[in-house]
Amino acid sequence: MFELSDAQIGSWVSSFVLPLFRIAALLMVMPIIGTQLVPTRVRLYLSLAISVVLVPTLPPMPLVDSISLQAFMFIAQEILIGVMLGFVLQLFFHVFVVAGQILAMQMGLGFASMVDPANGISVPVIGQYFTMLVTLLFLAMNGHLVVFEVLAESFLTLPPGSGLQVDHYWEIATKLGWVMGAALIIVLPAVTALLVVNIAFGVMTRAAPQLNIFSIGFPLTLVLGMVIVWISMADILSHYQALASEALIMLRELARAS
């Protein structure tokens, strides 16, 4: 009869299950793969496949009793690391979502919303357009491969059972407030142009009070807003490269032990 000892079970848990939880946590939270567009079963199968490929290349894991409190603490630590890595990527994607929402509100298109199939919520059309644009750019520039590379390196720089340094992660957390600032930088030229348009309509209303500004200004603001968005797309790639580099560098710093 085939029997497994406690040491063998503990070795199997530490060598395969601990990396699996970190990989699965990242895939459940990160954009694109962690959205509602990808079924949970597919994400679990992908986590198993990555674990099978990655585990033989990892250094020896610490032995732990499979049903002890220490094992549950190690599993919780791996889930926390994976969630933090995915959360940084979510913040990077939401920079463009917030930028689209700010721009839509300024051009009077905030009422035109649609259901985001990735998150299951209603967002302005401009925000959804920016989301699809950054998703395509992220995949076209192999950003997902860089994320998997950082994930593989994290098992060397931050092996399971090594413990988390609170000061290091608190320092990283203080840098995550760049979402709103980065979104404002992206849409600042367009918002400034729309502000000039609104000021011009205000001057027209002051000069000719009998002019119905709502029937003229609202559709004209929409048309000029679409033209401004079209012109601003010429500079979106430079903003994406700068923000993507900052987000991936932050992701690599997060995966460091110190």
Side-chain angles (χ1 to χ4, degrees):
M1 183 178 180
F2 180 72
E3 295 182 356
L4 293 175
S5 63
D6 293 339
Q8 291 173 327
I9 296 176
S11 176
W12 178 79
V13 168
S14 60
S15 63
F16 185 80
V17 175
L18 292 181
L20 175 63
F21 273 100
R22 182 183 299 189
I23 296 170
L26 173 63
L27 295 184
M28 292 293 176
V29 177
M30 71 174 293
I32 305 174
I33 299 177
T35 60
Q36 296 182 3
L37 298 175
V38 181
T40 305
R41 184 176 299 178
V42 175
R43 281 177 268 173
L44 290 176
Y45 289 158
L46 185 59
S47 303
L48 288 172
I50 296 176
S51 300
V52 169
V53 174
L54 192 61
V55 164
T57 64
L58 299 180
M61 299 292 174
L63 295 178
V64 61
D65 190 1
S66 57
I67 55 174
S68 64
L69 179 60
Q70 185 182 17
F72 287 106
M73 294 297 294
F74 284 173
I75 290 174
Q77 174 182 320
E78 296 304 301
I79 294 175
L80 180 60
I81 294 173
V83 169
M84 287 191 299
L85 295 177
F87 181 68
V88 172
L89 295 174
Q90 285 285 0
L91 286 179
F92 165 63
F93 272 68
H94 278 77
V95 166
F96 294 87
V97 176
V98 173
Q101 291 176 347
I102 294 174
L103 188 56
M105 295 299 295
Q106 290 296 320
M107 62 187 294
L109 205 60
F111 66 91
S113 61
M114 61 179 296
V115 177
D116 183 6
N119 299 313
I121 58 176
S122 296
V123 296
V125 176
I126 302 297
Q128 183 65 15
Y129 171 73
F130 278 9
T131 302
M132 293 187 293
L133 180 63
V134 71
T135 300
L136 293 176
L137 289 174
F138 189 77
L139 294 175
M141 296 185 178
N142 294 327
H144 57 294
L145 299 181
V146 177
V147 173
F148 292 148
E149 179 184 358
V150 173
L151 176 63
E153 291 178 356
S154 68
F155 288 103
L156 301 178
T157 59
L158 193 62
S162 60
L164 298 177
Q165 296 185 3
V166 179
D167 295 338
H168 171 64
Y169 291 100
W170 178 254
E171 180 183 356
I172 298 296
T174 56
K175 300 179 181 179
L176 297 179
W178 52 275
V179 177
M180 185 60 68
L184 289 175
I185 291 175
I186 294 175
V187 299
L188 187 59
V191 170
T192 304
L194 290 172
L195 179 61
V196 173
V197 173
N198 291 327
I199 292 175
F201 284 129
V203 173
M204 291 171 57
T205 305
R206 186 66 176 177
Q210 69 276 11
L211 183 64
N212 191 352
I213 195 63
F214 292 101
S215 61
I216 299 175
F218 186 70
L220 192 57
T221 303
L222 288 178
V223 174
L224 292 177
M226 297 303 295
V227 173
I228 292 171
V229 170
W230 174 60
I231 296 174
S232 63
M233 286 297 102
D235 196 41
I236 194 67
L237 185 59
S238 61
H239 290 297
Y240 170 81
Q241 290 176 341
L243 293 175
S245 300
E246 185 175 354
L248 293 176
I249 290 173
M250 191 176 299
L251 193 71
R252 202 175 289 272
E253 291 179 355
L254 190 65
R256 289 205 319 251
S258 59

